[in-house]
Amino acid sequence: MVQAKKLSLRQLFLFMIQAQIGVGVLSLPFKLAESARGGEGITVLATGVITQTVIFIFWTLLKKFPGLNLFQICLRLCGPFIGNLAIACYIGYFTLLGANVMLSAVGILQRWMMEATPRWVLLLLFAIATLYLAKEKLTVLARFFTLSSMLFIPLFIFVSYGLTQPHPEYMFPLFEAGIWNILKATKDTTISMYGFEIILIIFPLIDASDKKKLFVVSMSNLFVTLFYTMVVVTCLMVFNPSQLRVIPEPVIYLVKSLNFYVVDRADVLFLPIWSITIVCSIASYTYAASVGLTQLFKQQDHRLFTPYVKIVMYIIALIPVTPIAIRLLDMIAEYAAYLFIGMIPLALMIGSLFVRRKEGGTA
């Protein structure tokens, strides 16, 4: 795929942040309340370390093949048949993950703001917004992501305002669950930090050296890790442990309970701002799947395939209608991520070690 312009390091930093922060941040304190019990902040920091390790694996693989993205590397290392099969599976993975994020976001909006709005209408609005973005060039996406990054300021203010009346004693004892359970809880946190795998697709389209790319992506991961830690610790100091175990989205509940005097329900402002971040996350997955289709069908313009990706994503998000079905889709996306983020890139990296010379963009 031909791109006239490449991303700057500043755009890369903000792009990765927008792609990584998603639905999970709202429910993360609830998910960790039972398993980590006081050590939630330590769990998030440990997850950041795990994510950084995976990013380093990505970087080791990508720098071995300058000018190539994940799809092209699959073809180079695995051959036409297995390589195209891997590309098709990654296209399905990105589509599935985008649909899961879209469905989760709509579920939250229906519970807190739009109870009477049909689910298909909200899904359609997300589909239209993300289609409009994902069909553009990567530089256009990066500009929108950069502009929308300004919305992190009010998000940070809303959440940190909860620290005006903190109860630090709610956090102790830190190791009540035991260090093993605290570390084991990183499984729940890792799900909430997906999105960094988009670097596998956009790495060749960044105007910088490999070392600078690694540094910037690492800094974006550090930012997301610290932001998640701040959110979790804030909720820990506002709600006692028994309360956290019964509030599915404690971040929204926290914002709703705040008294800004001028605004009666701050969550009505918080959720639309948060929705812009979700649009960015879904758009990045849609873009990645579309790029995969250009490689699979040997085309140049990903815009030819973006509508089809969006239609499939919309249909997948419409299928689950019961809580059990929604949970099943969430579990499928979770286990698929272990395969496509962890196992396959690691296998490709190990395979690349047997390539004697440094591969270029052409054979």
Side-chain angles (χ1 to χ4, degrees), residues 287-350:
Y287 174 83
S290 302
V291 172
L293 285 169
T294 64
Q295 185 66 46
L296 191 64
F297 292 100
K298 296 178 173 57
Q299 298 295 318
Q300 293 295 318
D301 194 349
H302 77 283
R303 289 179 294 182
L304 298 172
F305 303 100
T306 305
Y308 301 106
V309 172
K310 201 71 262 179
I311 291 172
V312 174
M313 199 176 285
Y314 179 74
I315 293 173
I316 293 174
L318 273 179
I319 292 175
V321 293
T322 64
I324 294 177
I326 294 173
R327 175 57 186 159
L328 179 61
L329 178 65
D330 196 48
M331 288 180 61
I332 293 173
E334 174 186 341
Y335 288 109
Y338 296 146
L339 175 64
F340 291 102
I341 296 179
M343 296 177 62
I344 294 180
L346 179 61
L348 291 174
M349 186 204 71
I350 294 174

Side-chain angles (χ1 to χ4, degrees), residues 28-44 47 170-189 232 236 241 244-245:
L28 187 57
F30 167 76
K31 291 180 178 179
L32 296 178
E34 185 62 37
S35 55
R37 294 202 304 274
E40 289 91 333
I42 300 173
T43 299
V44 177
T47 305
Y170 289 166
M171 296 177 58
F172 298 99
L174 288 177
F175 299 98
E176 178 185 356
I179 188 65
W180 169 246
N181 288 326
I182 290 174
L183 294 178
K184 191 167 65 172
T186 55
K187 170 180 172 291
D188 299 318
T189 315
V232 168
L236 282 175
L244 275 180
R245 294 190 184 102

